[in-house]
Each structure stands twice: as structure tokens, then as C-alpha cells.
Amino acid sequence: MKAKDLYDIAIIGTGPAGATLARLLYPKYNIIAIDKKTPHGDGFQKPCGGLICTDAQKALASFDLTLPKDVLVDPQIFAVKTIDLKNKLIRHYQRFYINMDRHKFDLWLESLLPKTVELHSNAVCTELKRENGGFLISYQDLETKQIRTVRAKFLVGADGANSIVRRTFYPEKKLRRYLSIQQWFPETHRNPFYSCIFDPETTDCCSWSISKDHQFIFGGAFPLDHARERFERQKAKLEEIGFRFGAPLKTEACLVLRPASFRDFCKGEKGIFLIGEAAGFISASSLEGISSAIGSAKTLSGVLNHPRSNPNERYWQKTLPLRLKLFTKVLKSPFLYRSFLRKLVMKSGIQSIKITETLANPPFFAKK
């Protein structure tokens, strides 16, 4: 192969995990990064509610980073409406999320990459092979349709739930998978709000809604069988209690993982590394993954920047605190997703906020 086609590290995916790793690796490395996103709105965009939780804020603060204004959206909301459709309960809980445009957030993280990183946007990885102590990576430019094959010593999967790296080399790793479906609508509610919805009749996971720059997003994670039908059924239930949808402006979907045990996390081996959701590093209770994506990328950068023997084992050892933290989310899940336990917690009112009803702020759940 030509010298320009030889790299030390190939990173597949430049979301929060891949972009953070590419930014933190020492410039001595020859790095190629491949991602489907484009700077324009007509390419791939990650379907996401677009909230930065306190753990993700702390991860960004650890790099002394500040968010640019154009990443933020209106409004900034201070509480989440937790809605239990089965038990007909609602509680408000204080949360310290930052409401942002997820696509602009991802592009901002990419903009921080040093010039030493060779970034190929609007491209998709098509084939991976292990060969002669390294890896052959084939990818296609989605605009020109041209395919290029390069070689790298290390291969990093930062390509999310449907990771081609994990599927190619670890097909036996079968984590719980859901289809995340999201629709955007013109915002017509009197008061913007953020909600977390539980409806075991349509999904054993959660749904969400969020007001964002005069638009209203509704989405959820649904079992793969009849996912769209489940989504529409839940929408109909929510309309009965006051949600306003109308004609959708756009619909988007992607796979999302949800670990169920400590064994679900996947580290990679022999020069392959998995970070972020590709490794299963996502909260089983809330499906939040940005903080773990940044944390696992930071950990891997430290391992690769200070090379010693057995980098895969060192990476796995150093991610133990993160894996333990995520496992506590697995243990926490029953209190959120088992109807009886959730009912006890919500009826207790512990840590909930009492909402004052006024003429300007009438009860949300008055039927139409």
C-alpha cells in the first residue's frame, strides 16, 4: 500500500467518543477518522433528545471546555415531567440538563480536532479485515461513491449501537437492542416542557419529549418487533392526556443498546478498542451515553499516549470504575421500569417538586 494509506490509528465514528479520542491523542500518531456526518443538514444526524446531563457537563468541564452559544437552544428547562401512563401518575423532578442541538454539538466537537487528524466526513465504513498484525479498513465516500482501502495498526470502534467494528469482530456480543424513533413537530403547547414517559404496554424502556427552538420532539426506545406501531400507539395515548403533535416535520430512527449485565460491556482485543455505545457504555436506566462516551475516550487516549505492553488489558482495567458505575444503572432500572416499584416511588413524592397551578399555567393533563 502507498505510504499515505498507512495509519497508526483508525477511528470509526466521530460522535462524542470518537471526536474526543481523536482530539486527545498525541500528534505523533498518524490518525484517520471516518464518519457519516456532514457539516450540512442534509446528511446523517444522530437521533437524540439533545440534553447534556450533569455527568456529561462535568466531563466537558474536565477539559476546560465551554459550549458556544449556537449549540444551545431555547428553552432551558429545570424539571422533568415523569409520566407513568399505566399508573396514571405524574411527578416533576428537578434536573440540571443543558438543552442543545445535538448535530451542532457533534460538529463542534469535530471542529476541535487538530489538523494532524485526517477526517473523512460523509463516509461510511464498508468492510474491516485483520491482516498482518494490523487492519484493512474500506470506506465509501457517500457523495462520490468511491471506495478507498487503508491500513492501520490500531482500530477503534466509536460508531455507536450498530457498530460495524463490534458486528465484524464480536458478533456473539448480543446486547439488548431497541429502535429509537423520534419525530419533530411545530411547538403548540402553551408551556414548553421536558418529559420522561413510562408505558409498559408499548415498551419496556422509556420515551421522552422535549421543546426545542419552537419545535417539539417526541421519541422513544421500542422493541424491534412492530416498533413503529408501538410508537404510534403511545402517541395516541399521550394525545388523550394533552400532548399536541400534528403533522410531523421529520421522522428519524436509529438502534440503541441497553446493557442488562456486567458481561455486556465489550472491550475489544489484539489492537481493537471499543468506546462509547459501541462498547455498551450507556445507561440502562436513562439511555444517556454522552458522559460515558467522553469518559471512555479519555481513558483510551491515556493508554495509547503512553504505550506499554497489553494496551487492551490496560484499557479494560482503567474502565473498571466506569463499568461499575454503569452496572449500578442496571441495578437501578427495576425501580424505574417495574410498574409496582415505580408506583411506590412516585406516590411517595420523594424529591419531587410541587407545581403551582395558575391561569397562565393550568393543569397539563386536562383532557382535550
Side-chain angles (χ1 to χ4, degrees), residues 189-262:
H189 298 96
R190 178 179 296 186
N191 294 315
F193 66 97
Y194 164 52
S195 71
C196 181
I197 303 146
F198 298 96
D199 178 29
E201 192 270 328
T202 54
T203 179
D204 62 342
C205 200
C206 63
S207 302
W208 55 86
S209 73
I210 181 72
S211 301
K212 200 178 292 283
D213 274 353
H214 307 293
Q215 293 183 327
F216 181 69
I217 302 173
F218 169 67
F222 297 87
L224 299 183
D225 61 302
H226 306 292
R228 184 58 186 266
E229 178 188 329
R230 293 168 180 269
F231 174 80
E232 295 295 340
R233 201 157 69 239
Q234 191 178 119
K235 272 177 61 181
K237 290 184 178 185
L238 292 171
E239 282 187 304
E240 291 180 359
I241 60 170
F243 275 59
R244 298 176 182 176
F245 294 112
L249 301 171
K250 66 177 178 179
T251 302
E252 51 195 8
C254 70
L255 285 177
V256 64
L257 300 182
R258 191 179 177 210
S261 75
F262 200 69

Side-chain angles (χ1 to χ4, degrees), residues 25-26 28-29 300-309 311 314:
L25 287 171
Y26 286 169
K28 67 179 181 180
Y29 289 119
L300 181 56
S301 70
V303 169
L304 295 179
N305 284 338
H306 302 92
R308 297 204 305 259
S309 61
R314 288 173 53 219

Side-chain angles (χ1 to χ4, degrees), residues 220-362:
F222 297 87
L224 299 183
D225 61 302
H226 306 292
R228 184 58 186 266
E229 178 188 329
R230 293 168 180 269
F231 174 80
E232 295 295 340
R233 201 157 69 239
Q234 191 178 119
K235 272 177 61 181
K237 290 184 178 185
L238 292 171
E239 282 187 304
E240 291 180 359
I241 60 170
F243 275 59
R244 298 176 182 176
F245 294 112
L249 301 171
K250 66 177 178 179
T251 302
E252 51 195 8
C254 70
L255 285 177
V256 64
L257 300 182
R258 191 179 177 210
S261 75
F262 200 69
R263 294 186 300 273
D264 280 348
F265 306 124
C266 184
K267 72 177 187 301
E269 61 184 358
K270 298 179 181 178
I272 301 172
F273 300 90
L274 295 170
I275 57 178
E277 192 175 2
F281 293 158
I282 186 169
S283 169
S285 58
S286 67
L287 302 184
E288 190 277 328
I290 293 176
S291 60
S292 298
I294 295 172
S296 58
K298 181 178 179 181
T299 299
L300 181 56
S301 70
V303 169
L304 295 179
N305 284 338
H306 302 92
R308 297 204 305 259
S309 61
N310 299 320
N312 284 97
E313 291 306 315
R314 288 173 53 219
Y315 170 63
W316 207 231
Q317 291 168 6
K318 289 181 177 294
T319 57
L320 179 59
L322 172 61
R323 288 181 285 133
L324 289 173
K325 181 177 181 179
L326 290 171
F327 183 61
T328 65
K329 305 293 185 180
V330 175
L331 299 177
K332 175 184 176 182
S333 290
F335 292 94
L336 291 175
Y337 293 98
R338 290 184 184 171
S339 181
F340 176 71
L341 293 176
R342 184 173 62 249
K343 181 179 180 180
L344 289 179
V345 172
M346 293 183 69
K347 285 187 75 68
S348 74
I350 295 174
Q351 295 187 334
S352 66
I353 300 171
K354 182 175 177 57
I355 299 299
T356 301
E357 296 173 2
T358 66
L359 291 177
N361 180 33

Side-chain angles (χ1 to χ4, degrees), residues 124-239:
V124 60
C125 185
T126 57
E127 187 177 24
L128 300 167
K129 292 182 180 178
R130 191 188 288 274
E131 184 176 282
N132 299 328
F135 302 91
L136 291 179
I137 301 106
S138 298
Y139 66 94
Q140 182 180 44
D141 185 297
L142 295 176
E143 182 176 355
T144 66
K145 305 304 180 184
Q146 291 183 335
I147 294 179
R148 179 189 180 199
T149 298
V150 299
R151 184 174 178 179
K153 179 181 178 181
F154 293 120
L155 175 64
V156 180
D159 45 344
N162 201 31
S163 168
I164 188 174
V165 180
R166 193 185 65 249
R167 284 187 285 116
T168 299
F169 296 102
Y170 309 101
E172 74 285 356
K173 277 289 183 181
K174 303 291 186 183
L175 282 75
R176 287 186 298 178
R177 300 191 304 166
Y178 296 79
L179 187 64
S180 174
I181 305 175
Q182 225 177 223
Q183 285 185 331
W184 295 62
F185 308 88
E187 175 60 280
T188 58
H189 298 96
R190 178 179 296 186
N191 294 315
F193 66 97
Y194 164 52
S195 71
C196 181
I197 303 146
F198 298 96
D199 178 29
E201 192 270 328
T202 54
T203 179
D204 62 342
C205 200
C206 63
S207 302
W208 55 86
S209 73
I210 181 72
S211 301
K212 200 178 292 283
D213 274 353
H214 307 293
Q215 293 183 327
F216 181 69
I217 302 173
F218 169 67
F222 297 87
L224 299 183
D225 61 302
H226 306 292
R228 184 58 186 266
E229 178 188 329
R230 293 168 180 269
F231 174 80
E232 295 295 340
R233 201 157 69 239
Q234 191 178 119
K235 272 177 61 181
K237 290 184 178 185
L238 292 171
E239 282 187 304

